[in-house]
């Protein structure tokens, strides 16, 4: 893979196993990883407890990119996108994991731990981390409209 970056990752019980597997892969690829929890598999835990600190760390620049995981990915993506400055996409295909960064400057990738296998999840993560925002004027224009909405 490309250059090593600092990645934040968070998951509830629905994504716990996937998170642990992705951390191993990320470290093996030479990335720095900050784990925002859960620290143990607790079937009663709540995804906002982990996803919100992850999103805030991405916005603050404490980590360069975030990976948010819950069972379906839906709750985690909803929570992450409530944080100003987070641009989180729930991805089920390789194309979106790459293009979400290139066109939409996605800074948090969301995955569903119960809807895909670990090899597919890693393919998403690798595509997400290798991608860079294109900076094209039309994409900046669209993102500025979203930023305006956040500011109101
Ligand atoms: C937890 O059971 C599950 O609801 C959660 O992980 C997630 O899928 C929510 O969207």
């Amino acid at each position: 893979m490309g250059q090593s970056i600092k990645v934040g990752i968070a998951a509830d019980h629905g994504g716990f196993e996937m998170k642990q597997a992705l951390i191993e892969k990320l470290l093996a690829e030479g990335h720095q990883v900050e784990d925002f929890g859960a620290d143990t598999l607790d079937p009663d835990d709540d995804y906002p407890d982990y996803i919100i600190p992850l999103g805030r760390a991405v916005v603050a620049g404490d980590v360069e990119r975030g990976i948010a995981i819950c069972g379906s990915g839906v709750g985690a993506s909803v929570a992450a996108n409530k944080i100003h400055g987070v641009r989180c996409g729930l991805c089920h295909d390789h194309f979106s994991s790459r293009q979400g960064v290139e066109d939409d400057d996605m800074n948090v990738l969301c995955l569903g731990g119960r809807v895909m296998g670990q090899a597919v999840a890693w393919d998403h993560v690798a595509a997400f981390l290798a991608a860079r925002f294109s900076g094209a004027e039309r994409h900046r224009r669209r993102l500025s409209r979203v930023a305006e909405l956040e500011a109101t």
Side-chain angles (χ1 to χ4, degrees), residues 12-14 47 70-72 74-75 114:
D12 72 353
H13 55 281
Y47 57 79
C70 67
S72 63
V74 173
R114 292 174 174 161

Side-chain angles (χ1 to χ4, degrees), residues 25-90:
K25 288 283 290 180
L26 286 162
L27 292 173
E29 291 285 327
H31 295 292
Q32 283 179 265
V33 179
E34 184 161 351
D35 183 356
F36 290 82
D39 296 330
T40 57
L41 178 55
D42 172 1
D44 289 325
D45 68 5
D46 301 323
Y47 57 79
D49 290 334
Y50 314 113
I51 304 302
I52 293 170
L54 167 68
R56 288 186 172 144
V58 171
V59 174
D62 297 337
V63 295
E64 291 168 65
R65 299 271 178 95
I67 301 166
I69 316 168
C70 67
S72 63
V74 173
S77 61
V78 169
N81 277 315
K82 298 294 180 189
I83 299 165
H84 286 192
V86 166
R87 293 175 299 278
C88 174
L90 170 55

